Amino acid sequence: MTAVSSFRPLVESDEIAFNQIRAKESWEDAFDQIIYFGEEDPSLASAKTTFIRCEPFPTIKTMMSAASLANGWTCLINSDIVVSPMLGTVVQECLRKKIE
């Protein structure tokens, strides 16, 4: 599954940085690919992560366009949302039951 999100620059606030980094750590186990709209940030980078430069705040339409190009299931997610490590298992079970 692919996650598509935008993020606030981490230098803006320690609290925002903490929440976004914590969320990203949870995403590493749950998602196959992560697409962030914004300038590349080493604190959010990984082998799974792609950064797409854009104006300060991308529109939902722009992010949905990127999501439509991804393979398989995709979600639009706020950058500070922590996901359960079981998310991948839930997706696999949905695929097994042919729920799309």
Side-chain angles (χ1 to χ4, degrees), residues 3 8 18 22 29-30 33 42 45 52 60 82 86 88:
R8 302 258 315 256
F18 174 80
R22 184 176 65 142
D29 292 330
Q33 181 181 15
I52 299 175
I60 297 293
V82 174
M86 294 300 296

Side-chain angles (χ1 to χ4, degrees), residues 1 29-32 72-73 85-99:
M1 181 159 54
D29 292 330
F31 298 115
D32 301 312
W73 286 31
M86 294 300 296
L87 180 60
T89 304
V90 171
V91 170
Q92 290 305 314
E93 185 64 12
C94 288
L95 292 171
R96 188 181 73 75
K97 292 183 176 184
K98 300 190 184 322
I99 299 170

Side-chain angles (χ1 to χ4, degrees), residues 12-29:
E12 286 186 9
S13 160
D14 289 342
E15 181 180 8
I16 289 170
F18 174 80
N19 290 334
Q20 290 182 148
I21 291 169
R22 184 176 65 142
K24 174 61 163 55
E25 289 170 353
S26 75
W27 296 6
E28 285 295 320
D29 292 330

